[in-house]
Amino acid sequence: MYAVFAAGGKQHRVEVGTLIDVEKVEVPVGETITFPEVLAIGDGEGDLQVGEPYLEKAAVIGEVVEQGKAKKMVVFKSKRRKGYKRKLGHRQRLTRLRITEIQQEQSPEEATENGT
């Protein structure tokens, strides 16, 4: 089973046990965090639930493993024949997560099969 969720202006496709880096979230290491903005959930066999824009009663739950920074990005600007050169660097702050659970609501077909 996999899920596509939104975090930090980006979309991430994850499965249970996946390690991902998202933009910095103010949560201490070892704590859990819930992302309710789930766009789609699939089972890998062709069944796909897509939200409009998000699935209701669905969430991706992860544990914060590490708070850190990405590799440095070098930004170099120049204008030819003018002697203009500027070199800047940037390191994006990241939070590393381990996905522990993908919660979803049962579809009406599954509810009747399970007897609920």
Side-chain angles (χ1 to χ4, degrees), residues 8-73:
K10 297 175 179 68
Q11 297 176 4
H12 304 276
R13 181 187 187 276
V14 295
E15 296 176 1
V16 174
T18 306
L19 278 174
I20 62 165
D21 292 330
V22 298
E23 288 193 20
K24 177 137 175 101
V25 181
E26 294 293 334
V27 176
V29 175
E31 296 290 319
T32 60
I33 185 168
T34 302
F35 296 98
E37 297 88 17
V38 178
L39 301 164
I41 293 179
D43 64 356
E45 299 175 3
D47 293 334
L48 181 67
Q49 297 177 14
V50 179
E52 297 176 3
Y54 304 120
L55 289 171
E56 294 181 17
K57 299 179 184 175
V60 173
I61 300 173
E63 177 186 359
V64 177
V65 176
E66 178 184 3
Q67 299 280 6
K69 291 184 178 180
K71 290 184 178 180
K72 180 175 266 192
M73 291 181 53

Side-chain angles (χ1 to χ4, degrees), residues 40-107:
I41 293 179
D43 64 356
E45 299 175 3
D47 293 334
L48 181 67
Q49 297 177 14
V50 179
E52 297 176 3
Y54 304 120
L55 289 171
E56 294 181 17
K57 299 179 184 175
V60 173
I61 300 173
E63 177 186 359
V64 177
V65 176
E66 178 184 3
Q67 299 280 6
K69 291 184 178 180
K71 290 184 178 180
K72 180 175 266 192
M73 291 181 53
V74 177
V75 180
F76 184 76
K77 298 179 179 183
S78 70
K79 295 187 179 182
R80 64 184 197 161
R81 300 189 303 266
K82 304 297 179 193
Y84 174 83
K85 295 178 184 171
R86 297 289 180 268
K87 183 177 179 182
L88 300 169
H90 174 71
R91 291 186 72 185
Q92 182 68 39
R93 294 173 188 243
L94 299 174
T95 300
R96 179 160 291 162
L97 300 171
R98 175 174 287 116
I99 304 302
T100 57
E101 185 179 355
I102 298 173
Q103 293 179 344
Q104 69 176 10
E105 65 175 329
Q106 289 185 338
S107 64

Side-chain angles (χ1 to χ4, degrees), residues 104-116:
Q104 69 176 10
E105 65 175 329
Q106 289 185 338
S107 64
E109 298 87 28
E110 293 175 354
T112 56
E113 290 174 3
N114 295 336
T116 56

